[in-house]
Amino acid sequence: MSFRSPQYAQPHDSMSEHLNLMNGPPPPYEKVATQRPWHPRHWSRRTKIGAILSTVALLIVIIVVAVVESRNNRYPSYTPINYTLLHTYSGSSFFDNFNYFTGYDPSQGFVHYVDQLGSEQLNLTYATSSSATIRVDLSNIDASQGGRKSVRIESKTQYTEGLFIFDILHTPYGCGTWPALWLTDPSNWPTNGEIDVVEAVNQATSGNQVTLHTTKDCTMNVKRKESGKVLSTNCLNSTDDNAGCGVQGTQDTYGQAFNENGGGVSSYPSKKLNRTKQTPQVYAMELRSAGIRTWFFPRSSTPSDISNTSSIPDPNSWGTALADFPSTDCSISSHFRNQSIIANIDLCGEWAGLESVYTTQDDCPGTCENLVSTNATAFENAYWEFASFRVYQSTN
């Protein structure tokens, strides 16, 4: 086969142009652009508007995601604080630091709180060199008129910030009981807030519940660093029947399991408790503008700067708290002021006495008020025993 002569093989003009593009110098930009329909210069007005809107939407999505991510990661700086020991509540003078609340319970409990003289006469409060005890009356076999006698004490000193170390030997439990170790301003509740450090009801088999109760604008649906189970995030007292924003501990943080881990054996044969030597377990609560944190330490893992009372405790060295209430969406300094330390043992009331709790949840016998009225022996384990309270404040 032979090739055609050149006169019969003249390339088409477009082919020549293509070859020139391939072999010759690059054409002017304007000429190349005419061959690229995707170039913005050749878009229709509608296409340009669509592209602009798409770009704006993408930028908005990027910004929103960045803002949400930044908001979700907000967390206060719990910078180390140099603490110094301010007050120690311990020994035979323990109760000298407290006022006795007298009368019937504000939380509708079936209980009559006794004054100091009455508590001493009934042996409901007593202190030795090693511990202080608060308990429910076991002597009255018919407490149907106004409820069974018990105790509620409130510290004379009030605190707006600080580190609180509670060495506890025994926690109260049993059907009908509603004990608590907490802080509030009794004259200005809920305006000045409430911190429930240790609280449970009835047999307390689910462990301790740490809870805040406040006025509006205090929520905890934010980043937190805690080991406990979050129960609710709105701290406002008027929601969910004043449930507050609670965090649940494990079973060994309260009640029989707690007491057994403390290593002591107790009985109540007559007036005072006879027990073997027992090592306290510790709750620590830090109240500061950055937030409120609560730790629980079994006797086997109490930090040395707590067990050694001559040391200055450093909460930042203790690891993850049981409950963490950061100031992210709650101004701690404006919601919590003038806090008194309160310890009490309520009976029945708005929590322990609810049928859904007393009967359904905790499987307690009869009705709560009937148990309280007629069965004194049901409250043999209804007592607090404290080794000491220590309060530290910033050196600044």
Side-chain angles (χ1 to χ4, degrees):
M1 181 181 290
S2 62
F3 291 100
R4 291 186 182 184
S5 61
Q7 62 267 28
Y8 297 105
Q10 292 296 324
H12 191 272
D13 286 346
S14 61
M15 179 64 71
S16 299
E17 192 173 303
H18 178 69
L19 292 173
N20 288 336
L21 284 172
M22 293 178 61
N23 301 321
Y29 170 79
E30 292 80 1
K31 190 169 185 178
V32 175
T34 61
Q35 300 177 11
R36 298 177 181 177
W38 47 265
H39 194 280
R41 290 185 58 185
H42 303 281
W43 291 355
S44 66
R45 178 181 178 85
R46 182 176 180 179
T47 302
K48 289 179 179 180
I49 293 174
I52 291 172
L53 292 177
S54 298
T55 302
V56 170
L58 179 61
L59 289 174
I60 291 174
V61 169
I62 292 172
I63 292 171
V64 168
V65 169
V67 169
V68 170
E69 187 68 18
S70 175
R71 180 178 177 84
N72 289 341
N73 285 319
R74 292 175 303 157
Y75 191 71
S77 176
Y78 284 107
T79 54
I81 291 179
N82 293 320
Y83 284 110
T84 184
L85 182 62
L86 181 66
H87 294 133
T88 299
Y89 300 73
S90 65
S92 57
S93 63
F94 182 92
F95 291 105
D96 294 344
N97 302 292
F98 293 88
N99 293 317
Y100 283 67
F101 177 91
T102 305
Y104 296 104
D105 179 45
S107 298
Q108 311 306 314
F110 194 52
V111 67
H112 185 188
Y113 291 120
V114 185
D115 61 16
Q116 184 170 6
L117 180 60
S119 295
E120 292 172 351
Q121 290 176 341
L122 290 170
N123 213 44
L124 304 185
T125 57
Y126 48 87
T128 67
S129 60
S130 58
S131 69
T133 300
I134 298 172
R135 67 168 310 111
V136 173
D137 177 42
L138 303 183
S139 64
N140 192 353
I141 60 173
D142 181 8
S144 58
Q145 300 301 312
R148 189 165 295 278
K149 292 179 180 178
S150 185
V151 178
R152 169 172 162 170
I153 57 172
E154 304 171 351
S155 68
K156 296 175 181 178
T157 303
Q158 294 185 307
Y159 308 91
T160 298
E161 61 179 7
L163 176 64
F164 303 79
I165 307 294
F166 302 104
D167 287 3
I168 305 174
L169 292 164
H170 187 276
T171 57
Y173 71 94
C175 286
T177 60
W178 179 5
L181 175 60
W182 50 301
L183 290 85
T184 194
D185 180 355
S187 300
N188 292 282
W189 185 94
T191 302
N192 286 347
E194 174 184 332
I195 307 168
D196 298 323
V197 181
V198 187
E199 185 178 27
V201 293
N202 297 318
Q203 300 289 15
T205 54
S206 58
N208 177 42
Q209 186 170 317
V210 185
T211 309
L212 303 186
H213 301 268
T214 68
T215 52
K216 64 180 182 178
D217 298 326
C218 182
T219 58
M220 292 295 154
N221 53 336
V222 295
K223 180 178 180 180
R224 302 162 76 175
K225 298 179 180 180
E226 59 194 357
S227 62
K229 176 185 176 182
V230 174
L231 300 176
S232 54
T233 58
N234 191 347
C235 307
L236 179 62
N237 72 295
S238 60
T239 59
D240 299 325
D241 295 322
N242 191 29
C245 48
V247 175
Q248 187 80 51
T250 54
Q251 185 177 17
D252 63 348
T253 58
Y254 193 86
Q256 184 176 358
F258 175 101
N259 300 336
E260 290 175 351
N261 288 342
V265 178
S266 65
S267 62
Y268 193 96
S270 55
K271 290 185 176 181
K272 295 186 178 180
L273 293 167
N274 296 322
R275 66 164 63 252
T276 59
K277 181 177 176 59
Q278 185 174 2
T279 303
Q281 300 186 86
V282 173
Y283 272 97
M285 188 274 288
E286 184 179 39
L287 168 60
R288 55 188 291 185
S289 60
I292 297 171
R293 297 184 290 178
T294 297
W295 291 261
F296 167 65
F297 299 110
R299 63 185 177 121
S300 60
S301 59
T302 303
S304 59
D305 60 1
I306 291 179
S307 57
N308 183 354
T309 57
S310 62
S311 298
I312 300 300
D314 176 17
N316 283 1
S317 68
W318 296 342
T320 304
L322 167 63
D324 177 23
F325 304 97
S327 62
T328 312
D329 284 342
C330 178
S331 173
I332 300 298
S333 57
S334 63
H335 280 95
F336 297 91
R337 297 182 293 265
N338 303 331
Q339 301 283 296
S340 290
I341 302 170
I342 301 175
N344 71 294
I345 307 173
D346 200 350
L347 301 172
C348 299
E350 296 171 349
W351 186 7
L354 287 175
E355 183 178 353
S356 60
V357 177
Y358 180 84
T359 303
T360 307
Q361 174 182 298
D362 295 327
D363 196 27
C364 289
T367 66
C368 189
E369 290 195 4
N370 184 65
L371 179 77
V372 170
S373 297
T374 62
N375 194 343
T377 59
F379 302 98
E380 289 183 354
N381 282 306
Y383 67 92
W384 286 107
E385 187 174 6
F386 304 115
S388 69
F389 297 166
R390 284 176 281 154
V391 181
Y392 298 80
Q393 287 200 321
S394 169
T395 56
N396 298 326

